[in-house]
Amino acid sequence: MHRYVLGRLLGAIPTLFLIVTISFFLIRIAPGGPFDLERPLEAKVMENLNRIYHLDEPLWNQYLLYLKSIAQLDFGPSFYFRDFTINELFAQSLPISIQLGLSALCLALIVGGFLGVVAALRQNRPTDYSVMAAATLGVTIPNFVVAPILTLILGVWLGWLPVGGWNGGAFANVILPVVTLALPQIAVVARLTRGSMIEALRSNHVRTARAYGLTNYMIIVVHALRGAILPVVSYLGPAAAALLTGSVVIETIFGIPGIGRYFVQGALNRDYTLVMGTVVVVACFVILFNLVVDLLYALLDPRVRYD
Amino acid sequence: MFKSMRVTALAAALMAATSLTAMAEVVYHRGNAADPETLDQHKTSTTYEAHILRDLYEGLVSYSAEGKVIPGVATDWTVSDDGTVYTFTLRDNAKWSNGDPVVAGDFEYSLRRIMKPDTGAKYATVLYPIKNAEKVNKGDVPPEELGVKALDDKTLEITLEAPTPFFIDLLAHQTGLPVHPATVEAHGTDFVKPENIVTNGAFTLAEFIPNAHVKATKNPHFHDADNVKIDTVFFYPTEDRGAALRRFQAGELHTNNDAPTEQVDFMRENLGDQFRVAPYLGTYYYALNHEDEGLSNPDVRQALSMAIDREFLADEIWGSTMVAGYSFVPPGIGNYGEPAFADYKDMSQIDREDKALELLEGAGYGPDKPLKLTINYNTSENHKNTAVAIADMWAPLGVEVSMINTDTKTHYAMLRDRQDFDVARAGWIGDYSDPQNFLFMVESDNDGFNYARYNNPEYDALMDEAAATVDLEKRADILKKAEEIFMRDLPFIPLMYYGSMNLVSDKVAGFEDNLLNIHPTRWMSISE
């Protein structure tokens, strides 16, 4: 098992190298640079800035400099947030994104899983239809519609919850963003769980378990759910990476200082190092979560073993 | 006796309650349309940073609640007869947040620092009127050659290259704010970190968390600290205007310096006086490429300008948050009279369109030979709507318009690199209240801003003459002549004057609307 994990992690290095290389040259192709402003800068001022940030050197030199820097886990200075290095920005924003993303993921798993099981057990009955209708709505209504509606009702009109701001991760401030972020995931998890649960409930081993006279709890939770959860687990890899690296919309609407906004800000501001940093972080998350999912698979399904 | 004791106890309780109220911390939650790129005053370039920096620092001059330039660290100053040497006397009680006195040497150090090429100051050009400033910034002469000299701790002398009547206004810009030399020497670029920073304004920095907030607390060493009513101010980046409006409605923000244009009617109906629109020192314009074959003809340019219904743009597209603009210099600007308005300002729109059609036909364009133009604009729903409306207004003239929409960086890089274009959207917000700050843009040697590639020696000569004129009235006349030429030649078609939009809670006092949209926290108070 350890060899498998180590092998997968080492195998990720060339992938990461490729991602860094492609991203580095792609972002440089975009017209305009980090110091192009609505108010153009004096040529000499621009020259001063380019020299300070090594942008006056040939692209290959800049690439090699970046590789050297990233090998030392130094993501370089931000071109936009000039008082911060990328490492400092991430040190502040990553824990917040992780807190937000993990909360949303747990909520999605618990609520979505529960709704999916309930819908499967009440198949083709009003409960099932209601859950699936709600799930369809959850998937189709985008965050930027849900968030303003929730803030308007629960924040502005009823005054129960803060409309925005992170406030150091205070519980009241976390509720709305987590719920908004989790809603589409709840819907997906509910649909996946329902489908695979129905299949599992009809399978031979569950029928056998019923024949042995096992309790409903044993049949549903131990025998059916264990198999039914597998499609959900495979969905969790990319979902977790997406949730943990934040959501641009949620972070912007609720004013949360997570990593998600850096994607858009970095690209629009041509903050090369910020874009590269976020790409690397997200790539690492995707690789890591896919590995975790594979290991979970092995744990849940005895037929899959890696050693 | 018991009665007397009860009265005493009641009085004591009341006093305790009153003193508790008096001691309650006054916190101002202030929406700021974007995050600051930096809090290093020598690296900044945007108004978002300026709002924060004005609270943290005080320059030689400062701003009143009404946005007027007032004495700051300097209590008064004299100007030599030839208008080139300014001698400032500094106040005795000016102190840094660590208790150090603010001395003339601090300004000498600061002005040298912003000009040093290694500082990488984006806006060093604002202070180029100072003697040798440009040369220092270009690395041609050492910083010691800069025309700034501390004669003693309380006297600072600044020598200019040439008379610059608006120089005092320039010093009020954020680039003129001082740094604490010892802190910069000790911490380098990290002097801006909350744990290191030393400021001399009404507030000092407590926290800066990108995308979350900037927190500033009252500076007890500030010379006017007794009159500063707010203890803590939070600046929140409010990029999502709709979300900011909801936070304002919920009482989480006391003010926000922008508002969603698409909800203007809602805000007018529901917020009343809390939604404020005021004239702003800026002009929204279209630059015309004078090197383009069709647009090189002045009649074509005039025809295009005349056919635009500016009232429609300002009222319908921008929800009356802008005002129809018939001059490049916005009204109300300092050191100027009334701007040089287009002579068709008072004509009816129908008459204007007839005249435009006539001019265009005279230039050889019509149904058989349509004028084909492309409008370039940067991504924004309102810029798009404006371009679509203008294309529609030009259609009856037989002008065929296509549109190119790119993000801001690409748009301005295209203009900077002098790539081919016909018509390009742009806007300009004045850095200081002087017509020169608008009219200098189309001087022939202004490579950065002269998007139109306008080249008129007569115009340049007038601008040079104005620059050498110390008498403000004479100077205003000369600049007016230059603007008349501008309106005749139309390097840019002025479309609208900007308006500032602010959400200001009824609880906030001291937030005065003004042309520069400058609102130092120092003058404000909040009632609960």
Side-chain angles (χ1 to χ4, degrees), chain B residues 141-164:
Chain B
V141 299
E144 291 72 27
E145 304 265 323
L146 188 70
V148 181
K149 197 172 166 190
L151 300 181
D152 56 53
D153 276 357
K154 296 293 163 204
T155 318
L156 182 78
E157 185 184 272
I158 299 182
T159 309
L160 308 186
E161 289 281 357
T164 311

Side-chain angles (χ1 to χ4, degrees), chain A residues 4 7 88 91 95 125 141 160 173 184 195 233 260 284 287 290 294:
Chain A
Y4 171 76
E88 285 171 331
R125 286 191 219 162
I141 302 180
W160 291 348
N173 290 69
V233 169
C284 287
I287 290 165
N290 280 334
D294 286 354

Side-chain angles (χ1 to χ4, degrees), chain B residues 145-459:
Chain B
E145 304 265 323
L146 188 70
V148 181
K149 197 172 166 190
L151 300 181
D152 56 53
D153 276 357
K154 296 293 163 204
T155 318
L156 182 78
E157 185 184 272
I158 299 182
T159 309
L160 308 186
E161 289 281 357
T164 311
F166 50 92
F167 181 64
I168 292 296
D169 293 292
L170 294 184
L171 284 180
H173 190 262
Q174 72 237 47
T175 46
L177 298 172
V179 291
H180 184 250
T183 310
V184 175
E185 290 299 315
H187 300 287
T189 53
D190 278 345
F191 86 92
V192 288
K193 304 276 185 200
E195 61 272 25
N196 302 330
I197 201 165
V198 175
T199 66
N200 74 328
F203 296 87
T204 193
L205 183 69
E207 282 174 9
F208 175 15
I209 302 174
N211 286 333
H213 64 253
V214 170
K215 180 184 176 187
T217 51
K218 188 172 166 177
N219 173 12
H221 292 286
F222 182 57
H223 59 82
D224 195 28
D226 291 347
N227 291 316
V228 176
K229 305 282 192 302
I230 286 166
D231 299 303
T232 302
V233 50
F234 280 93
F235 291 88
Y236 301 99
T238 50
E239 281 165 12
D240 185 323
R241 313 297 188 247
L245 172 61
R246 288 191 296 278
R247 290 188 77 177
F248 179 79
Q249 286 178 282
E252 290 174 19
L253 294 179
H254 289 113
T255 63
N256 191 50
N257 57 8
D258 206 349
T261 319
E262 66 282 3
Q263 294 189 57
V264 165
D265 291 340
F266 170 83
M267 290 184 289
R268 287 212 165 102
E269 274 172 34
N270 293 280
L271 300 180
D273 293 343
Q274 295 186 112
F275 173 55
R276 299 197 196 173
V277 178
Y280 193 24
L281 194 70
T283 305
Y284 186 106
Y285 64 88
Y286 272 8
L288 304 177
N289 185 353
H290 278 224
E291 290 172 3
D292 180 86
E293 189 194 335
L295 293 173
S296 62
N297 185 331
D299 284 347
V300 170
R301 298 195 298 267
Q302 280 298 342
L304 293 175
S305 178
M306 289 177 94
I308 295 171
D309 185 346
R310 292 162 170 83
E311 277 74 14
F312 178 85
L313 297 179
D315 296 333
E316 303 301 324
I317 308 277
W318 291 85
S320 299
T321 57
M322 297 254 210
V323 175
Y326 290 92
S327 62
F328 187 51
V329 178
I333 202 163
N335 306 328
Y336 208 42
E338 197 173 66
F341 291 117
D343 49 15
Y344 44 83
K345 177 175 179 273
D346 298 322
M347 276 169 79
S348 74
Q349 189 60 34
I350 293 174
D351 290 346
R352 273 192 239 164
E353 281 170 21
D354 291 344
K355 179 72 181 163
L357 201 58
E358 194 183 304
L359 283 172
L360 214 56
E361 279 170 359
Y365 291 100
D368 299 337
K369 192 192 170 194
L371 177 64
K372 293 183 180 173
L373 294 175
T374 303
I375 298 176
N376 286 66
Y377 64 92
N378 52 312
T379 309
S380 149
E381 201 55 38
N382 279 348
H383 295 335
K384 179 183 166 190
N385 293 342
T386 305
V388 169
I390 288 177
D392 203 41
M393 291 167 193
W394 285 346
L397 306 181
V399 180
E400 291 177 6
V401 177
S402 51
M403 286 170 229
I404 296 177
N405 167 25
T406 50
D407 74 300
T408 305
K409 292 271 183 194
T410 308
H411 182 71
Y412 286 99
M414 180 274 293
L415 292 173
R416 181 204 64 194
D417 295 341
R418 301 176 80 83
Q419 290 171 16
D420 198 25
F421 76 97
D422 300 329
V423 182
R425 184 217 85 83
W428 180 253
I429 307 288
D431 289 312
Y432 43 92
S433 189
D434 189 278
Q436 183 273 352
N437 193 224
F438 284 79
L439 298 172
F440 86 110
M441 294 173 76
V442 291
E443 287 176 25
S444 59
D445 60 352
N446 192 338
D447 293 335
F449 295 109
N450 187 357
Y451 305 139
R453 298 158 210 183
Y454 178 58
N455 187 347
N456 183 346
E458 189 190 359
Y459 184 88

